[in-house]
Amino acid sequence: QAVWRTWYGRAEEIWTGRLDLEAVTREATVAVAAGLGVDEGEAARLYQLYVGYIDELLVPYEDVASLRTLAGGYRLGVATNGIGEVQRRKLYRAGLADLFAFVVVSAEVGVAKPDPAFYAAVHQAAGAPPGEIVVVGDNVARDLLPALAVGMRAVWLRRADDEPQEAAWIGPAVTSLFELKAVLQALE
């Protein structure tokens, strides 16, 4: 609980790079020490175990394999909120890092989704006109509506285990990445 409060209580600062990985680690260590009543040395050890354990638990959805096929016909990128080192490590450990032509991480560009400036960074990294960029996201308010607002197209990845959305969506949607190629072809 203490770690999650640190991560999500300061999410905007983390996502925009105002709080770096080292600072997050320090704050989480202090929170673990207070929460468990251990000294900071033991808390640091426990926090590193926790972070390592979370990385081990990251298992991509089985439909992520379809991205290999998509990468043969589309220029794929990642646009995510978070800390660059952490997000790239996730891609690497999942065996996906080689699929993406570009990775835009909010802490590296200093703005986070849903800020239009984040999507300007995506546009620059993609090297394509906004109307040729298709954002595939699982959050209507943070991913899709802002992309539409800057002239990009968007597809909702609506998985069965997703949280209910706070915003309505009437655009294209898929429940699996296996369905994405057909939707992308229809958008061409």
Side-chain angles (χ1 to χ4, degrees):
Q1 290 284 2
V3 172
W4 284 105
R5 279 193 301 276
T6 299
W7 287 351
Y8 290 101
R10 308 283 301 272
E12 196 64 31
E13 291 170 280
I14 294 168
W15 290 347
T16 57
R18 294 189 312 265
L19 193 64
D20 65 12
L21 183 57
E22 187 177 314
V24 171
T25 299
R26 277 193 311 273
E27 288 193 18
T29 297
V30 169
V32 168
L36 297 178
V38 298
D39 66 50
E40 284 193 26
E42 178 64 5
R45 186 185 74 76
L46 292 171
Y47 179 70
Q48 290 307 317
L49 284 172
Y50 178 74
V51 170
Y53 185 64
I54 282 184
D55 282 350
E56 296 297 320
L57 291 177
L58 288 176
V59 177
Y61 287 94
E62 68 179 40
D63 62 353
V64 168
S66 68
L67 294 176
R68 294 217 174 272
T69 302
L70 287 174
Y74 296 93
R75 188 165 182 261
L76 303 181
V78 173
T80 186
N81 285 342
I83 297 172
E85 176 185 334
V86 173
Q87 300 300 61
R88 284 183 176 80
R89 185 174 63 227
K90 288 179 192 177
L91 291 172
Y92 177 77
R93 287 194 174 173
L96 303 172
D98 65 312
L99 297 181
F100 301 104
F102 62 92
V103 177
V104 177
V105 184
S106 62
E108 295 174 347
V109 296
V111 291
K113 297 184 282 182
D115 190 314
F118 179 84
Y119 290 89
V122 172
H123 167 242
Q124 183 177 11
E132 292 180 13
I133 299 169
V134 179
V135 173
V136 179
D138 62 359
N139 187 297
V140 172
R142 277 200 178 271
D143 299 333
L144 307 181
L145 296 178
L148 292 177
V150 298
M152 297 175 180
R153 295 179 288 165
V155 176
W156 184 15
L157 176 55
R158 184 178 183 208
R159 296 190 184 278
D161 60 352
D162 280 348
E163 297 286 325
Q165 296 292 306
E166 65 275 7
W169 181 251
I170 58 170
V174 296
T175 58
S176 164
L177 291 174
F178 291 128
E179 303 166 11
L180 187 56
K181 186 173 183 177
V183 172
L184 292 174
Q185 290 171 335
L187 291 173
E188 292 177 354

